[in-house]
Amino acid sequence: MMNLTLLPDLLLAGMLIGLAWAALSSDDLRRGVVLFIAFGLLLAIVWARLLAPDLALAEAAIGAGLSGALLLVALRDGSGGDKRAAKRSRLNRWLIDLFVLVMTCLIGWVLWLTIYAEPVERLAQLANAMLDRSGVSNPVTAVLLNYRAYDTLLELVVVLAAVLGVLVVGRERRGYREAGPVFYGLVHWLVPLLIVTAGYLLWVGAHAPGGAFQAGATLAAAGIVLRLAGYDAAGLPDGRLLRWLLVAGTGVFLLLGLGMNVSGGRFLQYPEAWSGSLILVIEVAATASIAAALVLAYRGGRTDGWLFMDNKDKSREVSS
Amino acid sequence: MTQALIYALTGAVLFMLGVRATLLRESLLPRLLALNICGAGVFLIFVSLAYRGDSLPVDPVPHALVLTGLVVAISATALALALNRRLREMADE
């Protein structure tokens, strides 16, 4: 009872598994990373197929683009030199394969039961029914920044924590040589285009696929292109302004949430008339923070002046 | 429904492929790659459960969760790469 309309889906699924297998079993790490980028792009197509255009945008920018860029620049550090092959005994490998097989069957069985189970009351109806009162008309943005704003706030905290970790352990990588004329021409066109696209994604997220994460990732891509062209700062400001930029998303979100507390509501419970504008303000701040964090991770960590910017006085001689 | 099942099962296979590679590989970078593929598998399961045919509206809640997950995943990857780099520098010193 094979249905011909399933063919594209089967093809996509097969290609996903094939690419993942190839990326994971490749001994050459560079090859593995490039295959992983291809895997991410294919996954973006699958998201579009599953009617998740928000995710398709995010996956293309984050999953394929920025993850790939971060992994490739890590390879440049020389992390690929480790040639210790796995020294598992044959029995061990066999046991791992058996475990993987059993677990795959178990998970598959559970999924089968879930998908063919009786339809139950889902949050979807509630989410779509309340859309008029959320201040935006894109249901995904409504979930992210209104119904489940807590999650998104905590996510921004995770991003902040990660970038603080990167700043603590890493120092900035060496920059790139100045771009040649052809690449320079491309950068001249590409960076403004990326910035405009990011602004558009941010704005359109209220009523169509897009939003803060996609916009932040696109903005970060502009920064990475700048850095590859020899602009070492990658478009980021220096010193105090950069710190403010990094905490902007979490800070604005928290302050607005607490402000609602003070003005009589509950934490993060937007006044209905204001929710659209509040969501936009939070998203602008979140976009800036996410972009700054990702570009900083690409740069590799703190710059030379990072820790000592307030210590000018200490380095001077004491006149006694 | 069948489409949802195809992609959900693909997600399960991707997840376990990632687990297998994490267990078998020794150095950190391939493991990180494997963990990212694990994550992709989980996301795929989520989104396929949100899909209920081309004519019905999809469930936006899993989509939002996955969007959050994508950003968290890349943050974790960036931190792991930074830690790996520092470990290497310390080994060289």
Side-chain angles (χ1 to χ4, degrees), chain A residues 66-133:
Chain A
L66 290 173
S67 299
L70 283 177
L71 286 165
L72 282 176
V73 81
L75 283 180
R76 196 177 73 127
D77 293 337
S79 315
D82 199 2
K83 285 281 184 255
R84 269 181 305 163
K87 292 184 207 70
R88 305 264 186 260
S89 70
R90 182 169 287 189
L91 179 69
N92 258 342
R93 295 187 72 103
W94 194 81
L95 278 176
I96 288 175
D97 280 343
L98 184 72
F99 166 73
V100 166
L101 199 68
V102 170
M103 284 302 287
T104 310
C105 291
L106 261 177
I107 299 174
W109 182 57
V110 171
L111 288 173
W112 179 289
L113 290 182
T114 314
I115 286 177
Y116 286 108
E118 293 286 307
V120 286
E121 181 73 18
R122 298 181 67 149
L123 286 171
Q125 282 102 0
L126 199 61
N128 286 321
M130 290 294 180
L131 204 54
D132 291 338
R133 297 177 54 192

Coordinates of all heavy atoms in Angstrom, one line a residue, chain A residues 66-133:
Chain A
L66 N 25.9 29.1 11.5 CA 26.8 29.6 12.6 C 27.5 28.4 13.3 O 28.7 28.5 13.6 CB 26.0 30.4 13.6 CG 25.6 31.7 13.1 CD1 24.7 32.4 14.1 CD2 26.8 32.6 12.8
S67 N 26.8 27.2 13.5 CA 27.5 26.1 14.0 C 28.6 25.7 13.1 O 29.7 25.4 13.6 CB 26.5 24.9 14.1 OG 25.5 25.1 15.0
G68 N 28.4 25.7 11.8 CA 29.4 25.3 10.9 C 30.6 26.2 11.0 O 31.8 25.8 11.0
A69 N 30.3 27.6 11.1 CA 31.4 28.5 11.2 C 32.2 28.3 12.4 O 33.5 28.3 12.4 CB 30.8 29.9 11.1
L70 N 31.5 28.1 13.6 CA 32.2 27.9 14.8 C 33.1 26.6 14.8 O 34.2 26.6 15.2 CB 31.2 27.8 16.0 CG 30.6 29.1 16.5 CD1 29.5 28.8 17.5 CD2 31.6 30.0 17.0
L71 N 32.5 25.6 14.2 CA 33.3 24.3 14.2 C 34.5 24.4 13.2 O 35.6 24.0 13.5 CB 32.4 23.2 13.7 CG 31.4 22.7 14.7 CD1 30.3 21.8 14.1 CD2 32.1 21.9 15.8
L72 N 34.3 25.1 12.1 CA 35.4 25.3 11.1 C 36.5 26.1 11.7 O 37.7 25.8 11.6 CB 34.9 25.9 9.8 CG 34.2 25.0 8.9 CD1 33.7 25.8 7.7 CD2 35.1 23.9 8.4
V73 N 36.2 27.2 12.5 CA 37.2 28.0 13.1 C 37.9 27.3 14.2 O 39.1 27.5 14.4 CB 36.6 29.4 13.5 CG1 35.9 29.3 14.8 CG2 37.7 30.4 13.6
A74 N 37.2 26.4 14.8 CA 37.8 25.5 15.9 C 38.8 24.6 15.2 O 39.9 24.3 15.8 CB 36.8 24.7 16.6
L75 N 38.5 24.1 14.0 CA 39.4 23.3 13.3 C 40.7 24.0 13.0 O 41.8 23.5 13.0 CB 38.8 22.8 12.0 CG 37.8 21.6 12.1 CD1 37.3 21.3 10.7 CD2 38.5 20.4 12.8
R76 N 40.6 25.3 12.7 CA 41.7 26.2 12.3 C 42.7 26.3 13.6 O 43.9 26.4 13.4 CB 41.3 27.5 11.9 CG 42.4 28.3 11.2 CD 41.8 29.7 10.7 NE 41.6 30.6 11.8 CZ 42.1 31.8 11.9 NH1 42.8 32.3 10.9 NH2 41.9 32.6 12.9
D77 N 42.1 26.2 14.8 CA 42.9 26.2 16.0 C 43.8 25.0 16.1 O 44.7 25.0 16.9 CB 42.0 26.2 17.2 CG 41.2 27.5 17.4 OD1 41.6 28.5 16.8 OD2 40.2 27.5 18.0
G78 N 43.5 24.0 15.3 CA 44.4 22.8 15.4 C 43.7 21.7 16.2 O 44.4 20.8 16.6
S79 N 42.5 21.9 16.5 CA 41.8 20.8 17.3 C 41.7 19.5 16.5 O 41.4 18.5 17.1 CB 40.4 21.3 17.7 OG 40.4 22.6 18.1
G80 N 41.9 19.6 15.2 CA 41.7 18.4 14.5 C 42.9 17.5 14.5 O 42.9 16.4 14.0
G81 N 44.0 17.9 15.2 CA 45.2 17.1 15.2 C 45.2 15.9 16.0 O 46.1 15.0 15.9
D82 N 44.1 15.7 16.7 CA 44.1 14.6 17.6 C 43.8 13.3 16.9 O 42.6 13.1 16.4 CB 43.0 14.9 18.7 CG 43.2 14.0 19.9 OD1 44.2 13.2 19.9 OD2 42.4 14.1 20.8
K83 N 44.7 12.4 16.8 CA 44.5 11.2 16.0 C 44.3 10.0 16.8 O 44.5 8.9 16.4 CB 45.7 11.0 15.0 CG 45.7 12.0 13.8 CD 44.7 11.5 12.8 CE 44.7 12.5 11.6 NZ 43.6 13.4 11.5
R84 N 44.0 10.2 18.1 CA 43.7 9.0 18.9 C 42.5 8.3 18.4 O 41.4 8.7 18.6 CB 43.5 9.4 20.4 CG 44.8 9.4 21.2 CD 44.5 9.8 22.6 NE 43.7 11.1 22.6 CZ 43.0 11.5 23.7 NH1 42.9 10.8 24.7 NH2 42.4 12.7 23.6
A85 N 42.7 7.1 17.9 CA 41.5 6.3 17.4 C 40.9 5.7 18.6 O 41.5 5.5 19.6 CB 42.0 5.3 16.4
A86 N 39.6 5.4 18.5 CA 38.9 4.8 19.6 C 39.4 3.4 19.8 O 39.5 2.6 18.8 CB 37.4 4.8 19.3
K87 N 39.8 3.1 21.0 CA 40.3 1.8 21.3 C 39.3 1.0 22.0 O 39.5 0.6 23.2 CB 41.7 1.9 22.0 CG 42.8 2.5 21.2 CD 44.1 2.5 22.0 CE 45.0 3.6 21.6 NZ 44.5 5.0 22.0
R88 N 38.2 0.7 21.4 CA 37.2 -0.2 22.1 C 37.5 -1.6 21.6 O 37.8 -1.8 20.5 CB 35.8 0.3 21.6 CG 35.5 1.7 21.9 CD 34.8 1.9 23.2 NE 34.4 3.3 23.3 CZ 35.1 4.2 24.1 NH1 36.2 3.8 24.7 NH2 34.6 5.4 24.2
S89 N 37.3 -2.5 22.6 CA 37.4 -3.9 22.2 C 36.2 -4.3 21.3 O 35.2 -3.6 21.2 CB 37.5 -4.8 23.4 OG 36.2 -4.8 24.0
R90 N 36.4 -5.4 20.6 CA 35.3 -5.9 19.7 C 34.0 -6.1 20.5 O 32.9 -5.7 20.1 CB 35.7 -7.1 19.0 CG 34.7 -7.6 18.0 CD 35.2 -8.7 17.2 NE 36.2 -8.2 16.2 CZ 36.6 -8.9 15.2 NH1 36.3 -10.1 15.1 NH2 37.5 -8.4 14.3
L91 N 34.1 -6.7 21.7 CA 32.9 -6.9 22.5 C 32.2 -5.6 22.9 O 31.0 -5.5 22.8 CB 33.3 -7.7 23.8 CG 32.2 -8.0 24.8 CD1 31.2 -9.0 24.2 CD2 32.6 -8.4 26.1
N92 N 33.0 -4.6 23.2 CA 32.4 -3.3 23.6 C 31.7 -2.7 22.4 O 30.6 -2.2 22.6 CB 33.6 -2.4 24.0 CG 33.6 -2.2 25.5 OD1 32.7 -2.5 26.2 ND2 34.8 -1.7 26.0
R93 N 32.3 -2.7 21.3 CA 31.6 -2.2 20.1 C 30.3 -2.9 19.8 O 29.3 -2.3 19.5 CB 32.5 -2.3 18.9 CG 33.8 -1.5 18.9 CD 34.5 -1.6 17.6 NE 33.9 -0.8 16.6 CZ 34.3 0.4 16.2 NH1 35.4 0.9 16.7 NH2 33.6 1.1 15.3
W94 N 30.4 -4.2 20.0 CA 29.2 -5.0 19.7 C 28.1 -4.7 20.7 O 26.9 -4.5 20.3 CB 29.6 -6.5 19.8 CG 28.6 -7.4 19.3 CD1 28.5 -7.8 18.0 CD2 27.6 -8.1 20.0 NE1 27.4 -8.6 17.8 CE2 26.9 -8.9 19.1 CE3 27.3 -8.2 21.4 CZ2 25.8 -9.7 19.5 CZ3 26.3 -9.0 21.7 CH2 25.5 -9.8 20.8
L95 N 28.5 -4.5 21.9 CA 27.5 -4.2 23.0 C 26.9 -2.8 22.7 O 25.7 -2.6 22.8 CB 28.2 -4.2 24.4 CG 28.3 -5.5 25.0 CD1 29.0 -5.4 26.3 CD2 26.9 -6.2 25.2
I96 N 27.7 -1.8 22.3 CA 27.2 -0.5 22.0 C 26.2 -0.6 20.8 O 25.1 0.0 20.9 CB 28.4 0.5 21.7 CG1 29.2 0.8 22.9 CG2 27.9 1.8 21.0 CD1 30.4 1.6 22.7
D97 N 26.6 -1.3 19.8 CA 25.7 -1.4 18.6 C 24.4 -2.1 19.0 O 23.3 -1.6 18.6 CB 26.4 -2.2 17.5 CG 27.3 -1.4 16.7 OD1 27.2 -0.1 16.8 OD2 28.2 -1.9 16.0
L98 N 24.4 -3.1 19.9 CA 23.2 -3.8 20.3 C 22.3 -2.8 21.1 O 21.1 -2.7 20.9 CB 23.6 -5.0 21.2 CG 22.4 -5.8 21.7 CD1 21.9 -6.6 20.5 CD2 22.8 -6.7 22.8
F99 N 23.0 -2.0 22.0 CA 22.3 -1.1 22.8 C 21.6 -0.1 21.9 O 20.4 0.3 22.1 CB 23.3 -0.4 23.8 CG 22.8 0.9 24.4 CD1 21.8 0.8 25.4 CD2 23.3 2.1 24.0 CE1 21.4 2.0 26.0 CE2 22.8 3.3 24.6 CZ 21.9 3.2 25.6
V100 N 22.3 0.5 20.9 CA 21.8 1.5 20.0 C 20.6 0.9 19.3 O 19.5 1.5 19.2 CB 22.8 2.0 19.1 CG1 22.2 2.7 17.9 CG2 23.8 2.8 19.8
L101 N 20.7 -0.4 18.8 CA 19.6 -1.0 18.1 C 18.4 -1.1 18.9 O 17.2 -0.8 18.5 CB 20.1 -2.3 17.6 CG 19.2 -2.9 16.4 CD1 19.5 -2.1 15.2 CD2 19.6 -4.4 16.2
V102 N 18.5 -1.6 20.2 CA 17.4 -1.9 21.1 C 16.7 -0.5 21.4 O 15.5 -0.4 21.3 CB 17.9 -2.6 22.4 CG1 16.8 -2.6 23.4 CG2 18.3 -4.0 22.0
M103 N 17.6 0.5 21.7 CA 17.0 1.8 22.1 C 16.2 2.4 20.9 O 15.2 3.0 21.1 CB 18.1 2.7 22.5 CG 18.6 2.5 23.9 SD 17.3 2.6 25.2 CE 17.0 4.3 25.2
T104 N 16.8 2.3 19.7 CA 16.1 2.8 18.5 C 14.7 2.2 18.3 O 13.7 2.9 18.1 CB 16.9 2.6 17.2 OG1 18.3 3.0 17.5 CG2 16.4 3.4 16.0
C105 N 14.7 0.9 18.5 CA 13.4 0.2 18.4 C 12.4 0.6 19.4 O 11.2 0.9 19.2 CB 13.6 -1.3 18.5 SG 14.5 -2.0 17.0
L106 N 12.9 0.8 20.7 CA 12.1 1.2 21.8 C 11.5 2.6 21.5 O 10.3 2.8 21.6 CB 12.9 1.2 23.1 CG 12.7 0.0 24.0 CD1 13.7 0.2 25.2 CD2 11.3 -0.1 24.4
I107 N 12.4 3.5 21.2 CA 11.9 4.9 20.9 C 10.9 4.9 19.7 O 9.9 5.5 19.8 CB 13.1 5.8 20.6 CG1 14.0 5.9 21.8 CG2 12.6 7.2 20.3 CD1 15.3 6.7 21.5
G108 N 11.3 4.1 18.7 CA 10.4 4.1 17.5 C 9.0 3.5 17.9 O 8.0 4.1 17.5
W109 N 9.0 2.5 18.8 CA 7.7 1.9 19.2 C 6.9 2.9 20.0 O 5.7 3.1 19.7 CB 8.0 0.7 20.1 CG 6.8 0.0 20.5 CD1 5.8 -0.6 19.8 CD2 6.4 -0.3 21.9 NE1 4.9 -1.1 20.5 CE2 5.2 -1.0 21.9 CE3 7.0 0.0 23.1 CZ2 4.6 -1.4 23.0 CZ3 6.4 -0.5 24.3 CH2 5.2 -1.1 24.2
V110 N 7.5 3.7 20.9 CA 6.8 4.7 21.7 C 6.2 5.8 20.8 O 5.1 6.2 20.9 CB 7.8 5.3 22.7 CG1 7.1 6.5 23.4 CG2 8.2 4.3 23.8
L111 N 7.1 6.2 19.7 CA 6.6 7.2 18.8 C 5.4 6.7 18.0 O 4.4 7.4 17.8 CB 7.7 7.6 17.9 CG 8.8 8.4 18.5 CD1 10.0 8.7 17.6 CD2 8.3 9.8 19.0
W112 N 5.5 5.4 17.6 CA 4.4 4.8 16.9 C 3.1 4.9 17.7 O 2.0 5.4 17.2 CB 4.7 3.4 16.6 CG 3.7 2.6 15.8 CD1 2.5 2.2 16.3 CD2 3.7 2.2 14.5 NE1 1.8 1.5 15.4 CE2 2.5 1.5 14.2 CE3 4.7 2.3 13.5 CZ2 2.2 0.9 13.0 CZ3 4.4 1.7 12.2 CH2 3.2 1.1 12.0
L113 N 3.2 4.5 19.0 CA 2.0 4.5 19.8 C 1.5 5.9 20.0 O 0.3 6.2 20.0 CB 2.4 3.9 21.2 CG 2.7 2.5 21.3 CD1 2.9 2.0 22.7 CD2 1.5 1.7 20.7
T114 N 2.4 6.9 20.1 CA 2.0 8.3 20.4 C 1.3 8.9 19.2 O 0.2 9.5 19.3 CB 3.3 9.2 20.6 OG1 4.1 8.5 21.6 CG2 2.9 10.5 21.2
I115 N 1.8 8.6 18.0 CA 1.2 9.2 16.8 C -0.1 8.6 16.5 O -1.0 9.3 16.0 CB 2.2 9.1 15.6 CG1 3.4 10.1 15.8 CG2 1.6 9.4 14.3 CD1 4.5 10.1 14.8
Y116 N -0.3 7.3 16.7 CA -1.5 6.7 16.4 C -2.5 6.6 17.6 O -3.5 6.0 17.5 CB -1.3 5.3 15.8 CG -0.8 5.4 14.3 CD1 0.5 5.1 14.0 CD2 -1.6 5.9 13.3 CE1 1.0 5.2 12.8 CE2 -1.1 6.0 12.0 CZ 0.2 5.7 11.8 OH 0.7 5.8 10.5
A117 N -2.1 7.3 18.7 CA -3.0 7.3 19.8 C -4.2 8.2 19.6 O -4.2 8.9 18.6 CB -2.2 7.8 21.0
E118 N -5.2 8.0 20.4 CA -6.4 8.9 20.3 C -6.0 10.3 20.4 O -5.1 10.6 21.3 CB -7.4 8.6 21.4 CG -8.0 7.2 21.3 CD -9.1 7.1 20.2 OE1 -9.9 8.0 20.2 OE2 -9.0 6.3 19.3
P119 N -6.5 11.2 19.6 CA -6.1 12.6 19.8 C -6.5 13.2 21.1 O -7.7 12.9 21.5 CB -6.8 13.4 18.6 CG -7.8 12.4 18.1 CD -7.4 11.0 18.5
V120 N -5.7 13.9 21.8 CA -6.0 14.4 23.1 C -6.0 15.9 23.0 O -5.6 16.5 22.1 CB -4.9 13.9 24.2 CG1 -5.1 12.5 24.5 CG2 -3.5 14.3 23.7
E121 N -6.5 16.5 24.1 CA -6.5 17.9 24.2 C -5.1 18.4 24.1 O -4.3 18.0 24.9 CB -7.2 18.3 25.6 CG -7.3 19.8 25.8 CD -8.4 20.4 25.0 OE1 -9.3 19.7 24.5 OE2 -8.3 21.6 24.9
R122 N -4.8 19.3 23.2 CA -3.5 19.8 23.1 C -3.4 21.3 23.3 O -4.5 22.0 23.3 CB -2.9 19.5 21.7 CG -2.9 18.0 21.4 CD -2.3 17.7 20.1 NE -0.9 18.1 20.0 CZ -0.1 17.5 19.2 NH1 -0.5 16.5 18.5 NH2 1.2 17.8 19.1
L123 N -2.2 21.8 23.6 CA -2.1 23.2 23.9 C -2.3 24.0 22.6 O -2.5 25.2 22.7 CB -0.6 23.5 24.4 CG -0.4 23.0 25.8 CD1 1.1 23.1 26.1 CD2 -1.2 23.9 26.7
A124 N -2.2 23.3 21.4 CA -2.4 24.1 20.2 C -3.6 24.9 20.1 O -3.6 26.0 19.7 CB -2.3 23.1 19.0
Q125 N -4.8 24.2 20.5 CA -6.0 24.9 20.4 C -6.0 26.2 21.3 O -6.4 27.3 20.8 CB -7.2 24.0 20.9 CG -7.6 23.0 19.8 CD -7.1 21.6 20.2 OE1 -6.4 21.5 21.1 NE2 -7.4 20.7 19.3
L126 N -5.5 26.0 22.5 CA -5.5 27.1 23.4 C -4.6 28.2 22.8 O -4.9 29.4 22.8 CB -4.9 26.6 24.7 CG -5.2 27.5 25.9 CD1 -6.7 27.6 26.2 CD2 -4.5 26.9 27.2
A127 N -3.4 27.8 22.3 CA -2.5 28.8 21.8 C -3.1 29.6 20.6 O -2.9 30.8 20.6 CB -1.2 28.1 21.4
N128 N -3.8 28.9 19.8 CA -4.3 29.6 18.6 C -5.6 30.4 19.0 O -5.8 31.5 18.4 CB -4.7 28.6 17.5 CG -3.5 28.0 16.8 OD1 -2.5 28.8 16.6 ND2 -3.5 26.7 16.5
A129 N -6.3 29.9 20.0 CA -7.5 30.7 20.4 C -7.2 32.0 21.1 O -7.9 33.0 21.0 CB -8.3 29.8 21.4
M130 N -6.0 32.0 21.8 CA -5.7 33.2 22.5 C -4.8 34.2 21.7 O -4.4 35.2 22.2 CB -4.9 32.8 23.8 CG -5.7 32.1 24.8 SD -6.9 33.2 25.5 CE -7.7 32.2 26.7
L131 N -4.6 33.9 20.4 CA -3.7 34.6 19.6 C -4.1 36.1 19.5 O -3.2 37.0 19.5 CB -3.6 34.0 18.2 CG -2.4 34.3 17.4 CD1 -1.2 33.8 18.2 CD2 -2.4 33.5 16.1
D132 N -5.4 36.4 19.5 CA -5.9 37.7 19.3 C -5.4 38.6 20.5 O -5.3 39.8 20.4 CB -7.4 37.8 19.3 CG -7.9 37.2 18.0 OD1 -7.1 37.2 17.0 OD2 -9.0 36.7 17.9
R133 N -5.2 38.0 21.7 CA -4.9 38.7 22.9 C -3.4 38.8 23.1 O -3.0 39.4 24.1 CB -5.6 38.1 24.1 CG -7.2 38.2 23.9 CD -7.8 37.5 25.1 NE -7.4 38.0 26.4 CZ -7.6 37.5 27.5 NH1 -8.3 36.3 27.6 NH2 -7.2 38.0 28.7

